[in-house]
Amino acid sequence: MTIARIIAQRTSGDIIACDCTTPVSEVVQTLAAKRIGALPVLREGRVVGIVSERDVIYRLADRGKECLDVAVEEIMTSPAVTVEPGTTIDEALGMMTRRRFRHFPVVENGELVAFISIGDLVKHKMDQVQGEAEALRNYITAA
């Protein structure tokens, strides 16, 4: 199963993102209001980084509250590690585990087409496992 299957019902209008010049204080407001943990950061429509709750916390610890007044490009994680729609869920989960992060911009032909989280991947993996378990139960029962 690939990322394409997860994002099939989504549109680019579903993506919550910010521009690299957005003040960190505004990003914090967006994260809180939308109850999300990260945003893709764009420059001229292209992904240039990701800003997460962790990025904000680390900069607050380093710089204090003045970091809230700077552009998000000063605190974001860059470059962003991205995946393509054809990436398998297992590959994406493996990359997240090795790199210790929880979000991926999904990019196709250089354009951001979706933003997924580890929760999205785990949910689809669990659905797959449950489907396989049900098929085995049915097979055993029928035999």
Side-chain angles (χ1 to χ4, degrees), residues 47-75:
V47 177
V48 293
I50 295 175
V51 62
S52 70
E53 298 163 319
R54 288 180 183 178
D55 293 318
V56 175
I57 294 298
Y58 294 157
R59 294 306 93 63
L60 280 170
D62 290 346
R63 300 183 190 175
K65 65 182 180 180
E66 61 270 0
C67 81
L68 295 173
D69 298 324
V70 303
V72 73
E73 67 186 338
E74 291 187 36
I75 73 156

